[in-house]
Amino acid sequence: MAKNQNIVHQYFKKNHEGLLILVKVNPIHYTGTEITIEAGQQPQIRDLQFDEDIFEDLKADAFEECSPLEFNLYLSGLA
């Protein structure tokens, strides 16, 4: 079975000083992807490993939930 099969990922975003930061979190394995977008620059995409406090950390850093569609449009370069 594939590692991400049957897992509902959670998505978050934050606008901060001209940056758009989008985060996808696998809530089972605490892995994910971060996209950082600055106007006029190429998006920076990083695979990340989180700990079990990731959701509290995102809330403390003022991230809000976003849709999987929004995240994937930026990931694919269509947004």
Side-chain angles (χ1 to χ4, degrees):
M1 182 176 348
K3 182 178 177 181
N4 289 328
Q5 190 173 358
N6 299 320
I7 295 174
V8 177
H9 293 87
Q10 293 179 264
Y11 299 85
F12 301 88
K13 71 177 178 180
K14 177 180 179 179
N15 284 300
H16 179 70
E17 298 179 0
L19 293 176
L20 175 60
I21 304 168
L22 298 118
V23 179
K24 175 175 84 171
V25 178
N26 175 324
I28 306 300
H29 302 288
Y30 297 111
T31 58
T33 303
E34 176 187 82
I35 305 170
T36 304
I37 302 164
E38 186 173 1
Q41 303 289 323
Q42 289 290 331
Q44 301 297 313
I45 302 171
R46 299 186 307 150
D47 291 324
L48 301 172
Q49 180 69 46
F50 305 113
D51 63 23
E52 60 275 355
D53 297 326
I54 183 56
F55 299 108
E56 293 156 12
D57 295 342
L58 289 167
K59 185 176 180 180
D61 289 338
F63 278 81
E64 59 187 45
E65 289 189 43
C66 70
S67 73
L69 177 60
E70 181 177 10
F71 180 91
N72 284 297
L73 284 172
Y74 281 105
L75 183 64
S76 67
L78 295 174

